[in-house]
Amino acid sequence: MTKAPTRSTQPDLLYSEAEDDLRAAVRSLLTDRADTAALLTRAEAGTPYDAGLWKALAADMGAAGLLVPEKLGGQGASHREAAVVLEELGRQVTPAPYLTSSVIATEVLLALDTETPEVADLLAALASGRTVAVLAVPLSASPYGPLAAGESRVPGVADAAAADVFLVLRSDGLYAVEAGEVGVEAQTPLDLTRPLAAVTVPGTAAATRLADSDAAEAAVRRGLLAGAGLLASEQLGVAEWCLEETVRHTRERHQFNRPIGSFQALKHRMAQLWLEVVSARAAVRNAADALATDSPEAALAVAIAQAYTSRVAVHAAEECVQLHAGIGMTWEHPAHLHLKRAKSDSIALGTAGSHKEALAELVDIEAP
Amino acid sequence: MTDAAELRTRAEELLAAHPPATTDRTTFLKARFDAGLAWVHYPKGLGGLDAPRSLQAVVDAVLNAADAPDNDPRRIGIGLGMAAPTILAYGSEEVKERFLRPLWVGDEVWCQLFSEPGAGSDLAALGTRAVRDGDDWVVSGQKVWTSSAHVARWAILIARTDPDLPKHRGITYFICDMTDPGVEVRPLRQITGEAEFNEVFLSGVRIPDAHRLGEVGEGWKVAQTTLMNERVSIGGSRIPREGGMIGPVTQTWRERPELRTHDLHQRLLTLWVEAEVARLAGERLRQQLVAGQPGPEGSGMKLAFARLNQEISGLEVELRGEEGLLYDDWTMRRPELVDFTGRDAGYRYLRSKGNSIEGGTSEVLLNIVAERVLGLPSEPRNDKDIAWKDLAR
């Protein structure tokens, strides 16, 4: 008889004071710089990124280097802090290559031999926020599935348009390829705030080898796992915004001579959503803490957070549109941006189903 | 100020003076109460030392390590969790002296005479009457859903003392003697076949005015102390992973491969995740309390556990297939203690239906979350300024 693994030490599920300060700083930056109208104008013009905002966040505030140790040019913080940044980016659905460059690509590089100058230099450049690197895999790639190596055209790569460097998995290892060597063909994404492109890396492209194939595959999986774990924080941010805005709207909107938020049928739905959001918060803090402490349970914590939070974010966004009613269906109201982000996130880095499948194995709940 | 080191010393002195191995259980518990180590945050002379509540853990750890007898808080939960804080806040010195020690030691079990057939979620609508007669009050009416009434020595009771006032006013709070000849307790058999609750009929029960808690007509305010303490109970203890209702069904899944189907696999995984997330949310709440930042999450946790218990136990009955058609035993029993997981899957399924009703229905709790946590406007109330006697019933 096998027993499910149990954790020997308790995860820290709270936010530290430093994390609260970081949240306040990021929120105030995003509130000032990332309003919906401007975001929509940029997205429609096909230039969704705001370079000034990225510089302020990634370089001036140092958010890009949170995961990177100080001796490698970063801030020497951890996944706990990066998770807080992602919660805020999720709240505002800000188009910024934070998850792709500062989390996934950074985590891939950190899993390699950081003594190698090519790896160390690239890491330092990412940590400074000067360079943006993107792992050339589809946004839907899960940490558990087969990794396609050496494919010439990779569709659905997130933030490719913002990338200076691509990390490319080939059958004989992992390579860094400058953006100039690569074909980037924009696709029309469901989520306007996270642009996608098909990336083609010609066989002749100049490339710097970073690792051999075994090290490369392990590093890419680690990058995708950390990405999935912190994506849950972004999803929490999306859900939180949706709930807050829905509560605000239903308190103010009057119909039948009453604020609609006083109707029990609506109150119960928002209370239910609140319960899901506070539960998701515990799950995503657990995942961030497990990644930060390199816990043996990190994979389990990520799978739990993803399996739960994807559904909560989509539910919150769908309720947000419904309870805003007509206005929730309009292009001008940001509800649709959150719905598109939530739905797209539910496919990104492994569906809830794929995370549950992984979990079944981890806790010995075997399939028939 | 009493600190952790001093409490540790006092606990060790108690153990030295009354070695658990050679001391009778009740004697030890009385000595513990008298040493102020029962509930350290209570006043001196009433089982405590005016110490911070958080230091109780220090005492408990020393006494547990020495295998000292405990006072079985589950058996006397209503007394400890609801009657005691109310007596402490509103009782006269005589009342506190008389009741707290036997309550804590477990010599006297308490029950709660609040709910009525016509006043469940709308508790303030209660109709049990208390009429002043000299130094006594004479109480008549009917209460329902009363756990432990068949073993209780005392009850906390709310009754209407002025029907001409609106329903929240004109209520008074009493301590009722369950051995009074006017008290009749009848088992209320329920969905599981057990009679865990009772109906209590009160016919001309005489309660001395000295057993009134709080002012005449202030019973609703006093009851809030009781009810707030009822909901505080969560967050005290840590649950291990698979520690709740999800444990037995997951174990069955592991041990009985022949029962597995794809549909049940998906549902089990989903519920396993939800149970683990609820456990983490409970742990987060506990950490917030320890860090001195109590959040509003507590009001929501009962909702989550109620729904989960129902879904998980329902899945378990299905997982058992043919066996799910059977029930362990329909004999009517009157348990002193309710063990939610102690019997078969069928019992768990049926008993868990009460989780979304007892201690506040899920519908009422959702309203509380919506109004007090999210700040949504309250439902229109048309009974606020109407005398209780004029309300439609």
PDB file of all heavy atoms in Angstrom, chain B residues 97-118:
ATOM      1  N   GLU B  97     -18.409  31.902  39.183  1.00  0.00           N
ATOM      2  CA  GLU B  97     -17.854  30.965  40.176  1.00  0.00           C
ATOM      3  C   GLU B  97     -18.581  29.618  40.125  1.00  0.00           C
ATOM      4  O   GLU B  97     -17.973  28.561  40.196  1.00  0.00           O
ATOM      5  CB  GLU B  97     -18.034  31.536  41.593  1.00  0.00           C
ATOM      6  CG  GLU B  97     -17.172  32.730  41.898  1.00  0.00           C
ATOM      7  CD  GLU B  97     -15.736  32.334  42.243  1.00  0.00           C
ATOM      8  OE1 GLU B  97     -15.528  31.143  42.561  1.00  0.00           O
ATOM      9  OE2 GLU B  97     -14.852  33.203  42.167  1.00  0.00           O
ATOM     10  N   ARG B  98     -19.894  29.685  39.985  1.00  0.00           N
ATOM     11  CA  ARG B  98     -20.693  28.474  40.045  1.00  0.00           C
ATOM     12  C   ARG B  98     -20.498  27.579  38.807  1.00  0.00           C
ATOM     13  O   ARG B  98     -20.445  26.363  38.909  1.00  0.00           O
ATOM     14  CB  ARG B  98     -22.187  28.844  40.201  1.00  0.00           C
ATOM     15  CG  ARG B  98     -23.205  27.744  39.876  1.00  0.00           C
ATOM     16  CD  ARG B  98     -23.100  26.548  40.833  1.00  0.00           C
ATOM     17  NE  ARG B  98     -23.922  25.429  40.406  1.00  0.00           N
ATOM     18  CZ  ARG B  98     -23.579  24.508  39.508  1.00  0.00           C
ATOM     19  NH1 ARG B  98     -22.398  24.578  38.907  1.00  0.00           N
ATOM     20  NH2 ARG B  98     -24.386  23.513  39.200  1.00  0.00           N
ATOM     21  N   PHE B  99     -20.430  28.210  37.620  1.00  0.00           N
ATOM     22  CA  PHE B  99     -20.557  27.405  36.405  1.00  0.00           C
ATOM     23  C   PHE B  99     -19.261  27.062  35.679  1.00  0.00           C
ATOM     24  O   PHE B  99     -19.171  26.007  35.052  1.00  0.00           O
ATOM     25  CB  PHE B  99     -21.502  28.103  35.411  1.00  0.00           C
ATOM     26  CG  PHE B  99     -22.937  28.088  35.875  1.00  0.00           C
ATOM     27  CD1 PHE B  99     -23.566  29.255  36.309  1.00  0.00           C
ATOM     28  CD2 PHE B  99     -23.648  26.894  35.886  1.00  0.00           C
ATOM     29  CE1 PHE B  99     -24.873  29.237  36.737  1.00  0.00           C
ATOM     30  CE2 PHE B  99     -24.969  26.863  36.310  1.00  0.00           C
ATOM     31  CZ  PHE B  99     -25.592  28.041  36.747  1.00  0.00           C
ATOM     32  N   LEU B 100     -18.254  27.941  35.719  1.00  0.00           N
ATOM     33  CA  LEU B 100     -17.126  27.737  34.815  1.00  0.00           C
ATOM     34  C   LEU B 100     -16.298  26.493  35.136  1.00  0.00           C
ATOM     35  O   LEU B 100     -15.866  25.775  34.241  1.00  0.00           O
ATOM     36  CB  LEU B 100     -16.235  28.994  34.781  1.00  0.00           C
ATOM     37  CG  LEU B 100     -16.888  30.183  34.053  1.00  0.00           C
ATOM     38  CD1 LEU B 100     -16.005  31.426  34.140  1.00  0.00           C
ATOM     39  CD2 LEU B 100     -17.183  29.859  32.596  1.00  0.00           C
ATOM     40  N   ARG B 101     -16.104  26.213  36.431  1.00  0.00           N
ATOM     41  CA  ARG B 101     -15.228  25.087  36.783  1.00  0.00           C
ATOM     42  C   ARG B 101     -15.837  23.737  36.367  1.00  0.00           C
ATOM     43  O   ARG B 101     -15.205  22.973  35.631  1.00  0.00           O
ATOM     44  CB  ARG B 101     -14.914  25.128  38.282  1.00  0.00           C
ATOM     45  CG  ARG B 101     -13.831  24.141  38.728  1.00  0.00           C
ATOM     46  CD  ARG B 101     -13.479  24.472  40.182  1.00  0.00           C
ATOM     47  NE  ARG B 101     -12.403  23.701  40.737  1.00  0.00           N
ATOM     48  CZ  ARG B 101     -12.556  22.659  41.560  1.00  0.00           C
ATOM     49  NH1 ARG B 101     -13.783  22.218  41.842  1.00  0.00           N
ATOM     50  NH2 ARG B 101     -11.512  22.056  42.072  1.00  0.00           N
ATOM     51  N   PRO B 102     -17.071  23.416  36.785  1.00  0.00           N
ATOM     52  CA  PRO B 102     -17.649  22.134  36.331  1.00  0.00           C
ATOM     53  C   PRO B 102     -17.816  22.056  34.817  1.00  0.00           C
ATOM     54  O   PRO B 102     -17.756  20.974  34.237  1.00  0.00           O
ATOM     55  CB  PRO B 102     -19.004  22.066  37.042  1.00  0.00           C
ATOM     56  CG  PRO B 102     -19.239  23.391  37.669  1.00  0.00           C
ATOM     57  CD  PRO B 102     -17.941  24.115  37.746  1.00  0.00           C
ATOM     58  N   LEU B 103     -17.999  23.204  34.187  1.00  0.00           N
ATOM     59  CA  LEU B 103     -18.111  23.235  32.722  1.00  0.00           C
ATOM     60  C   LEU B 103     -16.796  22.792  32.101  1.00  0.00           C
ATOM     61  O   LEU B 103     -16.751  21.893  31.260  1.00  0.00           O
ATOM     62  CB  LEU B 103     -18.475  24.657  32.274  1.00  0.00           C
ATOM     63  CG  LEU B 103     -18.704  24.938  30.775  1.00  0.00           C
ATOM     64  CD1 LEU B 103     -19.539  26.209  30.626  1.00  0.00           C
ATOM     65  CD2 LEU B 103     -17.427  25.082  29.974  1.00  0.00           C
ATOM     66  N   TRP B 104     -15.712  23.418  32.553  1.00  0.00           N
ATOM     67  CA  TRP B 104     -14.408  23.126  31.940  1.00  0.00           C
ATOM     68  C   TRP B 104     -13.950  21.697  32.245  1.00  0.00           C
ATOM     69  O   TRP B 104     -13.427  20.993  31.379  1.00  0.00           O
ATOM     70  CB  TRP B 104     -13.346  24.133  32.416  1.00  0.00           C
ATOM     71  CG  TRP B 104     -12.091  23.948  31.620  1.00  0.00           C
ATOM     72  CD1 TRP B 104     -11.790  24.521  30.424  1.00  0.00           C
ATOM     73  CD2 TRP B 104     -10.995  23.075  31.938  1.00  0.00           C
ATOM     74  NE1 TRP B 104     -10.590  24.053  29.966  1.00  0.00           N
ATOM     75  CE2 TRP B 104     -10.075  23.171  30.875  1.00  0.00           C
ATOM     76  CE3 TRP B 104     -10.713  22.219  33.007  1.00  0.00           C
ATOM     77  CZ2 TRP B 104      -8.880  22.459  30.852  1.00  0.00           C
ATOM     78  CZ3 TRP B 104      -9.520  21.501  32.995  1.00  0.00           C
ATOM     79  CH2 TRP B 104      -8.609  21.626  31.920  1.00  0.00           C
ATOM     80  N   VAL B 105     -14.201  21.267  33.477  1.00  0.00           N
ATOM     81  CA  VAL B 105     -13.775  19.924  33.877  1.00  0.00           C
ATOM     82  C   VAL B 105     -14.593  18.852  33.135  1.00  0.00           C
ATOM     83  O   VAL B 105     -14.148  17.726  32.952  1.00  0.00           O
ATOM     84  CB  VAL B 105     -13.896  19.780  35.415  1.00  0.00           C
ATOM     85  CG1 VAL B 105     -13.702  18.351  35.862  1.00  0.00           C
ATOM     86  CG2 VAL B 105     -12.882  20.693  36.091  1.00  0.00           C
ATOM     87  N   GLY B 106     -15.782  19.226  32.702  1.00  0.00           N
ATOM     88  CA  GLY B 106     -16.627  18.258  32.000  1.00  0.00           C
ATOM     89  C   GLY B 106     -17.606  17.548  32.917  1.00  0.00           C
ATOM     90  O   GLY B 106     -18.288  16.615  32.501  1.00  0.00           O
ATOM     91  N   ASP B 107     -17.683  17.981  34.176  1.00  0.00           N
ATOM     92  CA  ASP B 107     -18.667  17.405  35.091  1.00  0.00           C
ATOM     93  C   ASP B 107     -20.078  17.772  34.653  1.00  0.00           C
ATOM     94  O   ASP B 107     -21.034  17.038  34.911  1.00  0.00           O
ATOM     95  CB  ASP B 107     -18.453  17.962  36.516  1.00  0.00           C
ATOM     96  CG  ASP B 107     -17.305  17.253  37.212  1.00  0.00           C
ATOM     97  OD1 ASP B 107     -16.811  16.252  36.662  1.00  0.00           O
ATOM     98  OD2 ASP B 107     -16.898  17.720  38.297  1.00  0.00           O
ATOM     99  N   GLU B 108     -20.202  18.939  34.034  1.00  0.00           N
ATOM    100  CA  GLU B 108     -21.520  19.377  33.578  1.00  0.00           C
ATOM    101  C   GLU B 108     -21.466  19.708  32.089  1.00  0.00           C
ATOM    102  O   GLU B 108     -20.672  20.543  31.649  1.00  0.00           O
ATOM    103  CB  GLU B 108     -21.969  20.621  34.376  1.00  0.00           C
ATOM    104  CG  GLU B 108     -22.258  20.265  35.836  1.00  0.00           C
ATOM    105  CD  GLU B 108     -22.668  21.462  36.681  1.00  0.00           C
ATOM    106  OE1 GLU B 108     -22.517  22.619  36.228  1.00  0.00           O
ATOM    107  OE2 GLU B 108     -23.153  21.235  37.799  1.00  0.00           O
ATOM    108  N   VAL B 109     -22.331  19.027  31.339  1.00  0.00           N
ATOM    109  CA  VAL B 109     -22.409  19.246  29.891  1.00  0.00           C
ATOM    110  C   VAL B 109     -23.463  20.320  29.626  1.00  0.00           C
ATOM    111  O   VAL B 109     -24.458  20.421  30.342  1.00  0.00           O
ATOM    112  CB  VAL B 109     -22.770  17.922  29.183  1.00  0.00           C
ATOM    113  CG1 VAL B 109     -23.018  18.137  27.693  1.00  0.00           C
ATOM    114  CG2 VAL B 109     -21.665  16.885  29.406  1.00  0.00           C
ATOM    115  N   TRP B 110     -23.210  21.137  28.584  1.00  0.00           N
ATOM    116  CA  TRP B 110     -24.127  22.229  28.233  1.00  0.00           C
ATOM    117  C   TRP B 110     -24.746  22.000  26.868  1.00  0.00           C
ATOM    118  O   TRP B 110     -24.170  21.334  26.005  1.00  0.00           O
ATOM    119  CB  TRP B 110     -23.376  23.569  28.212  1.00  0.00           C
ATOM    120  CG  TRP B 110     -23.061  24.086  29.579  1.00  0.00           C
ATOM    121  CD1 TRP B 110     -22.179  23.548  30.465  1.00  0.00           C
ATOM    122  CD2 TRP B 110     -23.658  25.206  30.232  1.00  0.00           C
ATOM    123  NE1 TRP B 110     -22.173  24.271  31.634  1.00  0.00           N
ATOM    124  CE2 TRP B 110     -23.068  25.301  31.523  1.00  0.00           C
ATOM    125  CE3 TRP B 110     -24.619  26.149  29.869  1.00  0.00           C
ATOM    126  CZ2 TRP B 110     -23.428  26.297  32.430  1.00  0.00           C
ATOM    127  CZ3 TRP B 110     -24.964  27.149  30.762  1.00  0.00           C
ATOM    128  CH2 TRP B 110     -24.375  27.204  32.042  1.00  0.00           C
ATOM    129  N   CYS B 111     -25.931  22.558  26.689  1.00  0.00           N
ATOM    130  CA  CYS B 111     -26.513  22.606  25.354  1.00  0.00           C
ATOM    131  C   CYS B 111     -27.047  24.018  25.118  1.00  0.00           C
ATOM    132  O   CYS B 111     -26.982  24.867  26.006  1.00  0.00           O
ATOM    133  CB  CYS B 111     -27.609  21.559  25.179  1.00  0.00           C
ATOM    134  SG  CYS B 111     -29.068  21.839  26.194  1.00  0.00           S
ATOM    135  N   GLN B 112     -27.544  24.230  23.889  1.00  0.00           N
ATOM    136  CA  GLN B 112     -27.907  25.585  23.484  1.00  0.00           C
ATOM    137  C   GLN B 112     -29.353  25.613  23.008  1.00  0.00           C
ATOM    138  O   GLN B 112     -29.688  24.973  21.999  1.00  0.00           O
ATOM    139  CB  GLN B 112     -26.950  25.981  22.349  1.00  0.00           C
ATOM    140  CG  GLN B 112     -27.107  27.372  21.844  1.00  0.00           C
ATOM    141  CD  GLN B 112     -26.677  27.457  20.384  1.00  0.00           C
ATOM    142  OE1 GLN B 112     -26.956  26.574  19.598  1.00  0.00           O
ATOM    143  NE2 GLN B 112     -25.998  28.536  20.041  1.00  0.00           N
ATOM    144  N   LEU B 113     -30.210  26.325  23.739  1.00  0.00           N
ATOM    145  CA  LEU B 113     -31.627  26.396  23.369  1.00  0.00           C
ATOM    146  C   LEU B 113     -31.896  27.696  22.610  1.00  0.00           C
ATOM    147  O   LEU B 113     -32.445  28.656  23.138  1.00  0.00           O
ATOM    148  CB  LEU B 113     -32.491  26.291  24.632  1.00  0.00           C
ATOM    149  CG  LEU B 113     -32.363  24.978  25.410  1.00  0.00           C
ATOM    150  CD1 LEU B 113     -33.137  25.032  26.729  1.00  0.00           C
ATOM    151  CD2 LEU B 113     -32.829  23.795  24.572  1.00  0.00           C
ATOM    152  N   PHE B 114     -31.463  27.706  21.344  1.00  0.00           N
ATOM    153  CA  PHE B 114     -31.645  28.887  20.497  1.00  0.00           C
ATOM    154  C   PHE B 114     -32.698  28.615  19.419  1.00  0.00           C
ATOM    155  O   PHE B 114     -33.728  29.248  19.383  1.00  0.00           O
ATOM    156  CB  PHE B 114     -30.317  29.272  19.814  1.00  0.00           C
ATOM    157  CG  PHE B 114     -29.371  30.080  20.680  1.00  0.00           C
ATOM    158  CD1 PHE B 114     -29.483  30.094  22.064  1.00  0.00           C
ATOM    159  CD2 PHE B 114     -28.344  30.828  20.096  1.00  0.00           C
ATOM    160  CE1 PHE B 114     -28.606  30.836  22.850  1.00  0.00           C
ATOM    161  CE2 PHE B 114     -27.468  31.577  20.881  1.00  0.00           C
ATOM    162  CZ  PHE B 114     -27.601  31.569  22.246  1.00  0.00           C
ATOM    163  N   SER B 115     -32.411  27.678  18.520  1.00  0.00           N
ATOM    164  CA  SER B 115     -33.274  27.460  17.347  1.00  0.00           C
ATOM    165  C   SER B 115     -34.667  27.018  17.749  1.00  0.00           C
ATOM    166  O   SER B 115     -34.847  26.314  18.742  1.00  0.00           O
ATOM    167  CB  SER B 115     -32.675  26.387  16.442  1.00  0.00           C
ATOM    168  OG  SER B 115     -31.481  26.831  15.897  1.00  0.00           O
ATOM    169  N   GLU B 116     -35.634  27.422  16.925  1.00  0.00           N
ATOM    170  CA  GLU B 116     -37.019  27.024  17.133  1.00  0.00           C
ATOM    171  C   GLU B 116     -37.607  26.575  15.801  1.00  0.00           C
ATOM    172  O   GLU B 116     -37.095  26.941  14.744  1.00  0.00           O
ATOM    173  CB  GLU B 116     -37.832  28.217  17.678  1.00  0.00           C
ATOM    174  CG  GLU B 116     -37.326  28.674  19.034  1.00  0.00           C
ATOM    175  CD  GLU B 116     -38.240  29.716  19.682  1.00  0.00           C
ATOM    176  OE1 GLU B 116     -39.312  30.011  19.102  1.00  0.00           O
ATOM    177  OE2 GLU B 116     -37.864  30.202  20.758  1.00  0.00           O
ATOM    178  N   PRO B 117     -38.707  25.816  15.877  1.00  0.00           N
ATOM    179  CA  PRO B 117     -39.319  25.362  14.623  1.00  0.00           C
ATOM    180  C   PRO B 117     -39.645  26.532  13.686  1.00  0.00           C
ATOM    181  O   PRO B 117     -39.520  26.411  12.475  1.00  0.00           O
ATOM    182  CB  PRO B 117     -40.586  24.653  15.081  1.00  0.00           C
ATOM    183  CG  PRO B 117     -40.320  24.231  16.483  1.00  0.00           C
ATOM    184  CD  PRO B 117     -39.402  25.261  17.050  1.00  0.00           C
ATOM    185  N   GLY B 118     -40.019  27.665  14.243  1.00  0.00           N
ATOM    186  CA  GLY B 118     -40.362  28.805  13.396  1.00  0.00           C
ATOM    187  C   GLY B 118     -39.243  29.826  13.275  1.00  0.00           C
ATOM    188  O   GLY B 118     -39.427  30.883  12.683  1.00  0.00           O
TER     189      GLY B 118
END
